[in-house]
Amino acid sequence: MEAYIYLEAHIKAIETATDFTYRWCINMGMDYNEAARFTLAVDELLTNMILFAYPDTDGYIEIWYRYSVPQLEIIIQESGEPFDPDRYRYSPEKAMNEGDFEGAGLELVRNLTDHFLFLNRGKQGKEFRLVKQLAVQNLNTYREEDTADGTAGDDHSYTLAAATKEDAEDIAKLIYRSYHYSYSKEGLYFPKQNELALEHGKKFGTIVRTEEGRPVGYFSVIKDPDSMVGEVAEAVVSPPHRQQGLMTRMLNELIDTSKKRGLQGLYGLALTVHEISQRVNHNFDFVSTALLVGVTKGAKYKDFVADHPQPVSLLVDYLPLTSKRNPQVWLPSRYRSILQQIYRLFDITPALLEGEVNGQGSPGKTELDLEFTYRNKTAMVVVKNIGNNVITAAHSMLRSLEEVDLNAIYIDIPLQHRDNEETVEWLHRNGFIFAGLMPMKYSEKDYLRLQKILVPIDFSLITTYSAMATDIKQFIFNEYHEIFEKR
């Protein structure tokens, strides 16, 4: 699903890149017209780079292709001459009256994409991110059908089966009939993308059908690409068939399937605008490990809340699926107590790394990964390796995000390295506060998640169910107000 190209910055290389881009878009489920438009955006951007970023020097361009339901993202990096895109704003008036088409190329790219983002990475060059949402397919046909799912009686029997790509359209119809267009997991409205995700193992799920074969329930696990863990997600039961224990049966089935597939843990995300999903996770022995403040945009959540006045927060819950483990970690002093409290709920006493903090980092350079959730206006930075230049690299990354309109920035720090102490203190001085513990998150290692909240938050609107979730909320609340009082 993902791909990478390393190109010489030469005009002859553009055709190779655009041919691959078009074929990749088609393979990922984009229709031919949209694939052509997205490819044209890539062609225009590459042409501008080669003509203007490398006018007199040789260089290289790197392109990453990423697929995640329901969007395609292309990341292009180059290290040519610096420039400020704000100085090259296209003016239709100047184009018509003066023949001045400056900035027309970038304007074209913006018009051909759903999101176009420029990041100045300093010494690491420039980065452009192009995003295209995959088109909704055939949803009008759902309105033409009877949306009633029938009446569920006490003697109604159901069949549970593993979801396959052939179920993709039925799943989309089930979501529409149950929630119309209010369901938060937007990707489920895209039959073709569900089909691809199920076929290629990005997720697996359970579907419930009546005796007549009508779909009335669906629950899935999305596989984490970086570790042997998954996220329990995309849950729905048709309203007439609720209160029949279907959600419990499906979740039990998913947990059993996850164990058989060798997963070592499951994450569950629970909205903090109500307690229902939190109680479900708690009843299945999930433990709250983190609270992500302001992670989703304000929206209507059907059946339980009206327009929410602020971005909605999420609780991260975790269920270990393997035998007891005792990870070797270095717990930063600022968060050692709260992290140990979370570990104890898993009956884990981590082996604390000992020795002096040397501040030198590990051999090799710092590795940072950056992901955007454009719809929610959040960014996630993952520190894959703490090298001796970690603070410099983090500073450069955060500076590149300063001009992006975001609600929050999250950063994951590996706990297996004692030099995380210095990194955590630097991040705290720059406005980052506690979010929580992310067990087994990347390469089966535990990570500390920090967050920088960029919008005002009323913590009284954040509802927590379990004692641990409440303690995490209070800890974050104290740090949040400490940070804002200093501003």
Side-chain angles (χ1 to χ4, degrees):
M1 295 255 183
E2 297 194 354
Y4 170 77
I5 294 179
Y6 187 73
L7 290 174
E8 184 179 358
H10 191 282
I11 202 73
K12 293 182 179 179
I14 295 177
E15 184 177 356
T16 299
T18 54
D19 284 349
F20 179 85
T21 299
Y22 181 75
R23 293 177 184 276
W24 181 78
C25 290
I26 296 298
N27 289 337
M28 293 301 102
M30 188 177 284
D31 69 42
Y32 293 102
N33 289 332
E34 287 301 308
R37 288 170 58 84
F38 203 32
T39 301
L40 179 58
V42 173
D43 182 286
E44 180 66 28
L45 193 57
L46 290 176
T47 301
N48 282 346
M49 286 180 186
I50 292 170
L51 292 178
F52 302 113
Y54 295 99
D56 302 311
T57 59
D58 296 330
Y60 293 90
I61 296 172
E62 298 178 86
I63 310 176
W64 285 264
Y65 297 82
R66 291 181 176 178
Y67 164 81
S68 61
V69 178
Q71 71 181 26
L72 302 183
E73 181 181 33
I74 296 178
I75 303 169
I76 306 177
Q77 292 183 353
E78 47 93 347
S79 299
E81 290 186 353
F83 90 112
D84 180 1
D86 290 335
R87 297 189 59 185
Y88 300 92
R89 290 289 180 179
Y90 174 68
S91 169
E93 291 78 13
K94 286 186 177 181
M96 292 183 64
N97 300 328
E98 304 172 20
D100 183 354
F101 291 89
E102 186 174 69
L106 293 178
E107 185 67 16
L108 176 64
V109 174
R110 291 187 185 95
N111 291 333
L112 292 172
T113 59
D114 293 320
H115 299 282
F116 176 50
L117 186 65
F118 167 75
L119 294 174
N120 186 340
R121 302 290 294 271
K123 293 181 179 180
Q124 296 178 338
K126 302 185 290 294
E127 177 175 301
F128 302 83
R129 295 194 174 215
L130 298 80
V131 177
K132 192 69 178 176
Q133 302 293 326
L134 293 164
V136 177
Q137 301 165 355
N138 301 322
L139 281 184
N140 287 332
T141 63
Y142 302 168
R143 296 192 183 95
E144 297 170 4
E145 299 181 12
D146 180 10
T147 59
D149 285 323
T151 302
D154 292 338
D155 59 347
H156 205 108
S157 62
Y158 302 95
T159 300
L160 275 72
T164 68
K165 66 178 184 178
E166 284 74 22
D167 298 312
E169 185 173 311
D170 277 351
I171 292 168
K173 290 181 177 181
L174 173 62
I175 293 294
Y176 175 78
R177 290 166 179 165
S178 300
Y179 292 101
H180 295 284
Y181 290 111
S182 66
Y183 193 69
S184 60
K185 296 286 185 178
E186 188 177 358
L188 285 177
Y189 293 103
F190 300 78
K192 183 62 177 179
Q193 283 66 60
N194 276 312
E195 178 183 326
L196 289 169
L198 289 166
E199 181 180 12
H200 294 287
K202 288 182 71 72
K203 64 182 178 182
F204 58 89
T206 295
I207 190 167
V208 180
R209 296 184 181 273
T210 63
E211 289 178 316
E212 299 77 23
R214 192 177 186 88
V216 295
Y218 171 72
F219 211 157
S220 75
V221 168
I222 299 175
K223 174 70 174 60
D224 194 316
D226 294 316
S227 196
M228 287 302 292
V229 297
E231 178 194 338
V232 176
E234 302 180 340
V236 60
V237 173
S238 177
H241 296 265
R242 292 172 185 170
Q243 308 300 318
Q244 304 293 314
L246 295 182
M247 195 67 74
T248 297
R249 290 175 62 184
M250 287 192 292
L251 185 51
N252 276 323
E253 189 75 16
L254 284 181
I255 292 173
D256 288 342
T257 302
S258 298
K259 291 178 179 178
K260 291 175 182 177
R261 287 173 174 252
L263 297 191
Q264 299 187 24
L266 288 174
Y267 280 99
L269 301 181
L271 294 168
T272 60
V273 289
H274 72 133
E275 293 184 359
I276 296 174
S277 55
Q278 296 182 47
R279 289 203 305 268
V280 170
N281 287 348
H282 185 75
N283 291 339
F284 277 86
D285 297 325
F286 282 78
V287 172
S288 294
T289 66
L291 172 62
L292 311 184
V293 178
V295 72
T296 70
K297 70 176 185 179
K300 281 188 177 180
Y301 291 87
K302 192 175 186 291
D303 296 336
F304 59 81
V305 71
D307 286 315
H308 204 59
Q310 66 183 21
V312 178
S313 301
L314 289 176
L315 272 170
V316 177
D317 298 325
Y318 182 73
L319 174 69
L321 299 178
T322 56
S323 57
K324 181 179 177 180
R325 65 188 183 92
N326 292 299
Q328 287 192 322
V329 294
W330 179 278
L331 302 183
S333 55
R334 180 176 294 277
Y335 302 123
R336 185 167 300 164
S337 177
I338 186 75
L339 289 171
Q340 288 176 326
Q341 183 181 349
I342 297 171
Y343 272 124
R344 282 195 293 270
L345 292 178
F346 295 112
D347 194 24
I348 289 177
T349 303
L352 301 183
L353 295 172
E354 298 180 354
E356 295 294 326
V357 177
N358 58 39
Q360 298 301 310
S362 61
K365 68 176 184 178
T366 297
E367 295 180 33
L368 301 180
D369 191 21
L370 175 63
E371 296 182 3
F372 287 93
T373 303
Y374 298 92
R375 181 175 181 270
N376 294 332
K377 298 170 65 175
T378 61
M380 167 66 70
V381 180
V382 180
V383 182
K384 293 296 183 69
N385 182 61
I386 297 180
N388 53 21
N389 65 332
V390 60
I391 290 178
T392 302
H395 179 66
S396 176
M397 177 74 77
L398 295 177
R399 283 191 64 185
S400 71
L401 296 175
E402 286 179 355
E403 297 182 1
V404 181
D405 181 22
L406 296 172
N407 288 337
I409 303 172
Y410 305 95
I411 185 164
D412 284 355
I413 311 292
L415 289 174
Q416 283 69 30
H417 201 295
R418 60 173 49 89
D419 285 289
N420 64 38
E421 178 85 27
E422 183 181 3
T423 306
V424 167
E425 288 303 310
W426 182 86
L427 287 167
H428 184 76
R429 291 194 299 271
N430 284 272
F432 281 83
I433 62 176
F434 186 72
L437 174 68
M438 304 298 291
M440 308 287 286
K441 184 58 179 172
Y442 310 99
S443 303
E444 285 69 61
K445 295 179 181 179
D446 294 352
Y447 276 67
L448 166 68
R449 178 164 293 181
L450 303 179
Q451 57 190 332
K452 186 172 186 177
I453 305 166
L454 301 172
V455 293
I457 293 293
D458 181 353
F459 277 74
S460 68
L461 298 176
I462 299 176
T463 302
T464 52
Y465 174 72
S466 71
M468 188 69 253
T470 302
D471 287 348
I472 292 173
K473 172 187 170 182
Q474 185 62 48
F475 191 97
I476 294 172
F477 174 82
N478 294 339
E479 271 204 302
Y480 174 84
H481 279 278
E482 175 190 342
I483 290 289
F484 270 79
E485 286 174 2
K486 293 179 179 178
R487 293 181 177 178

PDB file of all heavy atoms in Angstrom, residues 471-486:
ATOM      1  N   ASP A 471      -7.761  10.048  37.148  1.00  0.00           N
ATOM      2  CA  ASP A 471      -6.449  10.487  37.649  1.00  0.00           C
ATOM      3  C   ASP A 471      -5.610  11.089  36.518  1.00  0.00           C
ATOM      4  O   ASP A 471      -4.918  12.104  36.716  1.00  0.00           O
ATOM      5  CB  ASP A 471      -5.704   9.306  38.271  1.00  0.00           C
ATOM      6  CG  ASP A 471      -6.285   8.902  39.622  1.00  0.00           C
ATOM      7  OD1 ASP A 471      -7.098   9.673  40.178  1.00  0.00           O
ATOM      8  OD2 ASP A 471      -5.924   7.814  40.108  1.00  0.00           O
ATOM      9  N   ILE A 472      -5.652  10.462  35.341  1.00  0.00           N
ATOM     10  CA  ILE A 472      -4.905  10.994  34.198  1.00  0.00           C
ATOM     11  C   ILE A 472      -5.446  12.365  33.816  1.00  0.00           C
ATOM     12  O   ILE A 472      -4.681  13.307  33.550  1.00  0.00           O
ATOM     13  CB  ILE A 472      -4.975  10.022  33.007  1.00  0.00           C
ATOM     14  CG1 ILE A 472      -4.199   8.737  33.326  1.00  0.00           C
ATOM     15  CG2 ILE A 472      -4.415  10.668  31.740  1.00  0.00           C
ATOM     16  CD1 ILE A 472      -4.353   7.649  32.269  1.00  0.00           C
ATOM     17  N   LYS A 473      -6.759  12.497  33.789  1.00  0.00           N
ATOM     18  CA  LYS A 473      -7.377  13.787  33.463  1.00  0.00           C
ATOM     19  C   LYS A 473      -6.935  14.863  34.454  1.00  0.00           C
ATOM     20  O   LYS A 473      -6.582  15.985  34.055  1.00  0.00           O
ATOM     21  CB  LYS A 473      -8.903  13.655  33.469  1.00  0.00           C
ATOM     22  CG  LYS A 473      -9.631  14.991  33.335  1.00  0.00           C
ATOM     23  CD  LYS A 473     -11.135  14.813  33.518  1.00  0.00           C
ATOM     24  CE  LYS A 473     -11.832  16.156  33.640  1.00  0.00           C
ATOM     25  NZ  LYS A 473     -13.285  16.021  33.862  1.00  0.00           N
ATOM     26  N   GLN A 474      -6.920  14.556  35.747  1.00  0.00           N
ATOM     27  CA  GLN A 474      -6.531  15.540  36.751  1.00  0.00           C
ATOM     28  C   GLN A 474      -5.066  15.932  36.601  1.00  0.00           C
ATOM     29  O   GLN A 474      -4.710  17.118  36.724  1.00  0.00           O
ATOM     30  CB  GLN A 474      -6.783  14.984  38.157  1.00  0.00           C
ATOM     31  CG  GLN A 474      -6.528  15.972  39.282  1.00  0.00           C
ATOM     32  CD  GLN A 474      -7.441  17.182  39.207  1.00  0.00           C
ATOM     33  OE1 GLN A 474      -8.643  17.056  39.049  1.00  0.00           O
ATOM     34  NE2 GLN A 474      -6.857  18.388  39.319  1.00  0.00           N
ATOM     35  N   PHE A 475      -4.225  14.954  36.312  1.00  0.00           N
ATOM     36  CA  PHE A 475      -2.793  15.229  36.119  1.00  0.00           C
ATOM     37  C   PHE A 475      -2.599  16.175  34.935  1.00  0.00           C
ATOM     38  O   PHE A 475      -1.846  17.156  35.016  1.00  0.00           O
ATOM     39  CB  PHE A 475      -2.052  13.908  35.889  1.00  0.00           C
ATOM     40  CG  PHE A 475      -0.563  14.023  35.944  1.00  0.00           C
ATOM     41  CD1 PHE A 475       0.140  13.719  37.100  1.00  0.00           C
ATOM     42  CD2 PHE A 475       0.162  14.444  34.836  1.00  0.00           C
ATOM     43  CE1 PHE A 475       1.522  13.826  37.154  1.00  0.00           C
ATOM     44  CE2 PHE A 475       1.536  14.560  34.871  1.00  0.00           C
ATOM     45  CZ  PHE A 475       2.220  14.253  36.041  1.00  0.00           C
ATOM     46  N   ILE A 476      -3.283  15.898  33.830  1.00  0.00           N
ATOM     47  CA  ILE A 476      -3.170  16.740  32.633  1.00  0.00           C
ATOM     48  C   ILE A 476      -3.741  18.126  32.905  1.00  0.00           C
ATOM     49  O   ILE A 476      -3.167  19.147  32.480  1.00  0.00           O
ATOM     50  CB  ILE A 476      -3.889  16.071  31.447  1.00  0.00           C
ATOM     51  CG1 ILE A 476      -3.156  14.787  31.056  1.00  0.00           C
ATOM     52  CG2 ILE A 476      -3.987  17.025  30.255  1.00  0.00           C
ATOM     53  CD1 ILE A 476      -3.888  13.951  30.016  1.00  0.00           C
ATOM     54  N   PHE A 477      -4.862  18.187  33.626  1.00  0.00           N
ATOM     55  CA  PHE A 477      -5.489  19.457  33.971  1.00  0.00           C
ATOM     56  C   PHE A 477      -4.515  20.357  34.730  1.00  0.00           C
ATOM     57  O   PHE A 477      -4.386  21.552  34.437  1.00  0.00           O
ATOM     58  CB  PHE A 477      -6.738  19.196  34.813  1.00  0.00           C
ATOM     59  CG  PHE A 477      -7.389  20.432  35.358  1.00  0.00           C
ATOM     60  CD1 PHE A 477      -8.248  21.193  34.579  1.00  0.00           C
ATOM     61  CD2 PHE A 477      -7.147  20.834  36.672  1.00  0.00           C
ATOM     62  CE1 PHE A 477      -8.854  22.334  35.085  1.00  0.00           C
ATOM     63  CE2 PHE A 477      -7.742  21.971  37.187  1.00  0.00           C
ATOM     64  CZ  PHE A 477      -8.596  22.731  36.399  1.00  0.00           C
ATOM     65  N   ASN A 478      -3.798  19.780  35.691  1.00  0.00           N
ATOM     66  CA  ASN A 478      -2.845  20.561  36.491  1.00  0.00           C
ATOM     67  C   ASN A 478      -1.715  21.102  35.615  1.00  0.00           C
ATOM     68  O   ASN A 478      -1.330  22.277  35.742  1.00  0.00           O
ATOM     69  CB  ASN A 478      -2.280  19.703  37.620  1.00  0.00           C
ATOM     70  CG  ASN A 478      -3.335  19.326  38.645  1.00  0.00           C
ATOM     71  OD1 ASN A 478      -4.372  19.985  38.761  1.00  0.00           O
ATOM     72  ND2 ASN A 478      -3.089  18.259  39.399  1.00  0.00           N
ATOM     73  N   GLU A 479      -1.180  20.257  34.753  1.00  0.00           N
ATOM     74  CA  GLU A 479      -0.099  20.712  33.868  1.00  0.00           C
ATOM     75  C   GLU A 479      -0.591  21.747  32.865  1.00  0.00           C
ATOM     76  O   GLU A 479       0.109  22.714  32.555  1.00  0.00           O
ATOM     77  CB  GLU A 479       0.492  19.515  33.116  1.00  0.00           C
ATOM     78  CG  GLU A 479       1.635  18.832  33.834  1.00  0.00           C
ATOM     79  CD  GLU A 479       2.523  18.095  32.856  1.00  0.00           C
ATOM     80  OE1 GLU A 479       2.009  17.224  32.134  1.00  0.00           O
ATOM     81  OE2 GLU A 479       3.733  18.391  32.805  1.00  0.00           O
ATOM     82  N   TYR A 480      -1.773  21.538  32.337  1.00  0.00           N
ATOM     83  CA  TYR A 480      -2.354  22.450  31.349  1.00  0.00           C
ATOM     84  C   TYR A 480      -2.452  23.861  31.915  1.00  0.00           C
ATOM     85  O   TYR A 480      -2.056  24.847  31.265  1.00  0.00           O
ATOM     86  CB  TYR A 480      -3.723  21.915  30.932  1.00  0.00           C
ATOM     87  CG  TYR A 480      -4.521  22.824  30.010  1.00  0.00           C
ATOM     88  CD1 TYR A 480      -4.308  22.815  28.641  1.00  0.00           C
ATOM     89  CD2 TYR A 480      -5.504  23.658  30.512  1.00  0.00           C
ATOM     90  CE1 TYR A 480      -5.054  23.618  27.785  1.00  0.00           C
ATOM     91  CE2 TYR A 480      -6.257  24.474  29.673  1.00  0.00           C
ATOM     92  CZ  TYR A 480      -6.024  24.446  28.310  1.00  0.00           C
ATOM     93  OH  TYR A 480      -6.763  25.257  27.479  1.00  0.00           O
ATOM     94  N   HIS A 481      -2.958  23.973  33.124  1.00  0.00           N
ATOM     95  CA  HIS A 481      -3.116  25.302  33.722  1.00  0.00           C
ATOM     96  C   HIS A 481      -1.771  25.892  34.138  1.00  0.00           C
ATOM     97  O   HIS A 481      -1.590  27.107  34.093  1.00  0.00           O
ATOM     98  CB  HIS A 481      -4.085  25.236  34.899  1.00  0.00           C
ATOM     99  CG  HIS A 481      -5.510  25.243  34.471  1.00  0.00           C
ATOM    100  ND1 HIS A 481      -6.200  26.390  34.158  1.00  0.00           N
ATOM    101  CD2 HIS A 481      -6.371  24.222  34.244  1.00  0.00           C
ATOM    102  CE1 HIS A 481      -7.418  26.082  33.778  1.00  0.00           C
ATOM    103  NE2 HIS A 481      -7.570  24.767  33.816  1.00  0.00           N
ATOM    104  N   GLU A 482      -0.829  25.044  34.502  1.00  0.00           N
ATOM    105  CA  GLU A 482       0.509  25.522  34.800  1.00  0.00           C
ATOM    106  C   GLU A 482       1.137  26.153  33.557  1.00  0.00           C
ATOM    107  O   GLU A 482       1.751  27.220  33.618  1.00  0.00           O
ATOM    108  CB  GLU A 482       1.384  24.361  35.296  1.00  0.00           C
ATOM    109  CG  GLU A 482       2.836  24.741  35.529  1.00  0.00           C
ATOM    110  CD  GLU A 482       3.711  23.541  35.783  1.00  0.00           C
ATOM    111  OE1 GLU A 482       3.177  22.457  36.127  1.00  0.00           O
ATOM    112  OE2 GLU A 482       4.942  23.654  35.600  1.00  0.00           O
ATOM    113  N   ILE A 483       0.977  25.483  32.413  1.00  0.00           N
ATOM    114  CA  ILE A 483       1.528  25.993  31.158  1.00  0.00           C
ATOM    115  C   ILE A 483       0.853  27.296  30.760  1.00  0.00           C
ATOM    116  O   ILE A 483       1.513  28.283  30.400  1.00  0.00           O
ATOM    117  CB  ILE A 483       1.367  24.944  30.032  1.00  0.00           C
ATOM    118  CG1 ILE A 483       2.290  23.748  30.284  1.00  0.00           C
ATOM    119  CG2 ILE A 483       1.644  25.573  28.666  1.00  0.00           C
ATOM    120  CD1 ILE A 483       3.754  24.009  30.082  1.00  0.00           C
ATOM    121  N   PHE A 484      -0.480  27.342  30.833  1.00  0.00           N
ATOM    122  CA  PHE A 484      -1.199  28.539  30.369  1.00  0.00           C
ATOM    123  C   PHE A 484      -1.000  29.719  31.298  1.00  0.00           C
ATOM    124  O   PHE A 484      -1.080  30.879  30.865  1.00  0.00           O
ATOM    125  CB  PHE A 484      -2.687  28.210  30.213  1.00  0.00           C
ATOM    126  CG  PHE A 484      -3.042  27.708  28.840  1.00  0.00           C
ATOM    127  CD1 PHE A 484      -2.778  26.380  28.493  1.00  0.00           C
ATOM    128  CD2 PHE A 484      -3.585  28.548  27.894  1.00  0.00           C
ATOM    129  CE1 PHE A 484      -3.087  25.914  27.236  1.00  0.00           C
ATOM    130  CE2 PHE A 484      -3.894  28.091  26.614  1.00  0.00           C
ATOM    131  CZ  PHE A 484      -3.647  26.768  26.288  1.00  0.00           C
ATOM    132  N   GLU A 485      -0.755  29.462  32.574  1.00  0.00           N
ATOM    133  CA  GLU A 485      -0.489  30.581  33.494  1.00  0.00           C
ATOM    134  C   GLU A 485       0.833  31.269  33.181  1.00  0.00           C
ATOM    135  O   GLU A 485       1.014  32.440  33.479  1.00  0.00           O
ATOM    136  CB  GLU A 485      -0.486  30.058  34.938  1.00  0.00           C
ATOM    137  CG  GLU A 485      -1.884  29.730  35.469  1.00  0.00           C
ATOM    138  CD  GLU A 485      -1.840  29.077  36.824  1.00  0.00           C
ATOM    139  OE1 GLU A 485      -0.720  28.911  37.367  1.00  0.00           O
ATOM    140  OE2 GLU A 485      -2.911  28.742  37.361  1.00  0.00           O
ATOM    141  N   LYS A 486       1.770  30.526  32.559  1.00  0.00           N
ATOM    142  CA  LYS A 486       3.075  31.093  32.222  1.00  0.00           C
ATOM    143  C   LYS A 486       3.036  31.884  30.927  1.00  0.00           C
ATOM    144  O   LYS A 486       3.974  32.599  30.620  1.00  0.00           O
ATOM    145  CB  LYS A 486       4.115  29.965  32.124  1.00  0.00           C
ATOM    146  CG  LYS A 486       4.417  29.282  33.452  1.00  0.00           C
ATOM    147  CD  LYS A 486       5.431  28.160  33.258  1.00  0.00           C
ATOM    148  CE  LYS A 486       5.747  27.488  34.577  1.00  0.00           C
ATOM    149  NZ  LYS A 486       6.713  26.365  34.380  1.00  0.00           N
TER     150      LYS A 486
END
